Amino acid sequence: MTTFGQDKLSRSFTIRYLLVGPDTSYFSLIGRKTLNELGAIDSTPHLKMKFPTLIGEIVTVKADQKQAQQCYTETLG
């Protein structure tokens, strides 16, 4: 069971994960099936994802640009 968001502004459902061995700058990769079930719109350049909750609110999940760049740089070395 995976939860996106917090408290009333969240959605939870079962996701099947595939674990891979190589190092990557990503914590997890969310597939199209999951994004479609969530009703999400994602923007990789902006490191953001938006999805509707069951009560009609829109949730924005965002990442820190500087931290993402640092993680990416560390995986290159």
Side-chain angles (χ1 to χ4, degrees), residues 12-27:
S12 298
F13 50 93
T14 303
I15 298 176
R16 182 176 172 208
Y17 288 94
L18 172 65
L19 303 177
V20 294
D23 289 335
T24 177
S25 57
Y26 294 98
F27 176 71

Side-chain angles (χ1 to χ4, degrees), residues 19-56:
L19 303 177
V20 294
D23 289 335
T24 177
S25 57
Y26 294 98
F27 176 71
S28 67
L29 299 174
I30 301 172
R32 288 285 159 206
K33 180 181 178 197
T34 300
L35 291 173
N36 288 338
E37 287 180 30
L38 187 59
I41 303 294
D42 63 315
S43 174
T44 303
H46 298 102
L47 298 178
K48 291 185 180 180
M49 177 177 71
K50 292 186 176 193
F51 64 91
T53 66
L54 297 176
I55 60 171

